[in-house]
Amino acid sequence: MMVLGYLLISVSCLLSSTTVYSFFISLGASCIHGLTSCFGESVILGYLKGFPADLVVGWSSGTGFAGVVGAGLVVLLTALDFELFAVILFANIDLFGCIGTGALLLAVLHILKPAEEQICSHRKGELGFVDFNKQGRESVESEQKEEIQSAEQVDEAKENVKMGFSAFCHVFGKIWYLCGSLAFVYYFEYSIFTSFTDRTIKKLGYDHRPGFIYKNLFEILLLAYQCGVLISRSSLKLIKIPEVWVFFVLQLSSYIFWLMEVILVYNGIVMVKNPYIMIILLFYVGLCGGGSYVNVMYCIISHDKLKFYEKELALNICTILNDTGVICASITALIMSNWVYP
């Protein structure tokens, strides 16, 4: 599906100067990208419920890295002044390169699996011939109990709670503060960099000033935001912040600041003129957003009041509300750019 989306974007770019239908093609491609990304995120997070909660940092860090690569690629290609066809070709080559890398990784895991099974079988065989003392037997019995519990969890996973109104209300009642915090944080940050910064840059005329920084300030701000997201999404091993309301308050303060900036700019008053200060502020917005994401997902997976078979539904509810926040931010951007501050 991602390949199809990229190909449609390529077709849209090639047709952009000849037909108005290119907009609808790009719109369809965007819908395909969004659908595929959201579905993949929900599935992968659902699988993570069966692993230690700390491992969510691997997923969150990887998505943060993807954001940096994507935004960095846009800035790089803009700096190199690539022709349209070269940009499309480069994007598709990069996509197929990622697919090839994923296929190689799966092949390696497939090759290593028989060896792992042989090692486990060998170790089990050795355990059968060892004369354990009392402490050793207790240790083995403890390990066997853990294995039985693990096996029960695997069986439980087959009986995951299905999405329904009653199930939604039951699970959401346990995690509403986590999901709500993340949804609002994402609404705030997407409103900031898709609407407020865009309107500010347009009004100040930075995109018409000489110099690479001014002409490409929006793309550079996006890169700064993604760098902040990568760092904070990778920070779970260093620091855990279960009080996720902290990120809500911090991101709300940024939202209010940038909203006031837009209002004042359109009334002839500028609080932030220096583009480098804007870059730092968007980096901070990314730190808050990424920190909220990884800590909320960690809290859900490690939630002591959620049963194992409820966690997948809980993660899916969280991603649904998260995406709802992004959609609301997109609606805000459309309203701001077309009717409030065109």
Side-chain angles (χ1 to χ4, degrees):
M1 294 295 288
M2 277 292 186
V3 175
L4 176 61
Y6 271 104
L7 292 177
L8 289 176
I9 286 290
S10 302
V11 173
S12 173
C13 291
L14 292 173
L15 297 177
S16 60
S17 61
T18 60
T19 177
V20 295
Y21 293 110
S22 60
F23 168 76
F24 296 101
I25 296 175
S26 62
L27 186 63
S30 299
C31 291
I32 292 173
H33 278 154
L35 176 65
T36 307
S37 298
C38 294
F39 180 76
E41 180 183 28
S42 298
V43 171
I44 292 175
L45 286 173
Y47 279 127
L48 286 177
K49 74 181 185 300
F51 295 90
D54 285 348
L55 289 183
V56 74
V57 71
W59 161 255
S60 61
S61 180
T63 55
F65 180 75
V68 171
V69 171
L73 183 62
V74 172
V75 175
L76 175 63
L77 294 176
T78 303
L80 296 176
D81 196 22
F82 268 51
E83 294 294 333
L84 176 63
F85 181 75
V87 172
I88 295 172
L89 181 63
F90 194 99
N92 286 321
I93 288 176
D94 180 64
L95 171 66
F96 288 114
C98 293
I99 294 174
T101 303
L104 178 62
L105 177 61
L106 290 175
V108 171
L109 292 175
H110 181 73
I111 293 172
L112 293 178
K113 186 176 181 180
E116 180 184 1
E117 291 176 350
Q118 290 180 2
I119 293 173
C120 293
S121 177
H122 179 68
R123 290 182 63 186
K124 289 179 181 178
E126 287 181 344
L127 290 175
F129 295 95
V130 176
D131 184 17
F132 293 101
N133 54 25
K134 183 178 180 181
Q135 183 178 2
R137 286 195 300 273
E138 291 176 351
S139 175
V140 172
E141 289 174 358
S142 176
E143 291 179 359
Q144 289 176 344
K145 289 180 180 179
E146 291 179 357
E147 291 177 358
I148 292 172
Q149 291 176 353
S150 177
E152 289 176 350
Q153 284 188 339
V154 171
D155 292 337
E156 248 182 344
K158 297 178 181 178
E159 302 297 331
N160 283 327
V161 177
K162 302 297 189 295
M163 176 65 82
F165 181 76
S166 59
F168 178 92
C169 294
H170 175 72
V171 174
F172 183 70
K174 300 178 181 180
I175 59 170
W176 64 268
Y177 62 97
L178 296 171
C179 298
S181 173
L182 185 62
F184 276 107
V185 165
Y186 263 67
Y187 167 74
F188 294 150
E189 66 186 70
Y190 272 76
S191 295
I192 290 170
F193 77 77
T194 62
S195 179
F196 300 162
T197 57
D198 174 67
R199 293 297 90 195
T200 301
I201 292 171
K202 296 293 184 182
K203 184 61 177 179
L204 294 175
Y206 281 176
D207 51 339
H208 298 296
R209 292 190 182 185
F212 180 80
I213 296 294
Y214 285 106
K215 288 184 177 180
N216 303 282
L217 183 57
F218 181 79
E219 290 79 5
I220 294 173
L221 291 178
L222 178 59
L223 177 59
Y225 160 80
Q226 294 291 355
C227 289
V229 170
L230 171 60
I231 292 174
S232 57
R233 285 195 178 195
S234 307
S235 65
L236 190 66
K237 287 290 186 179
L238 298 177
I239 180 172
K240 296 179 178 68
I241 306 177
E243 297 82 8
V244 295
W245 59 266
V246 173
F247 299 106
F248 170 83
V249 173
L250 294 175
Q251 204 72 301
L252 176 60
S253 64
S254 293
Y255 178 86
I256 294 173
F257 172 83
W258 280 101
L259 178 60
M260 292 300 299
E261 171 74 356
V262 175
I263 295 173
L264 292 175
V265 164
Y266 274 81
N267 286 277
I269 304 172
V270 183
M271 291 193 297
V272 181
K273 292 183 179 180
N274 193 320
Y276 296 100
I277 296 180
M278 291 185 179
I279 292 172
I280 294 173
L281 291 174
L282 261 293
F283 177 78
Y284 168 77
V285 170
L287 285 177
C288 295
S292 176
Y293 181 90
V294 70
N295 282 280
V296 165
M297 295 305 173
Y298 171 79
C299 288
I300 292 177
I301 295 175
S302 60
H303 205 297
D304 57 352
K305 294 183 179 180
L306 280 174
K307 295 181 180 180
F308 183 78
Y309 53 82
E310 294 176 333
K311 291 184 177 180
E312 185 166 334
L313 178 58
L315 290 164
N316 287 334
I317 291 173
C318 188
T319 56
I320 290 171
L321 293 181
N322 182 23
D323 294 331
T324 302
V326 176
I327 292 172
C328 292
S330 301
I331 296 172
T332 299
L334 288 172
I335 295 173
M336 290 282 289
S337 59
N338 288 281
W339 291 288
V340 181
Y341 295 118

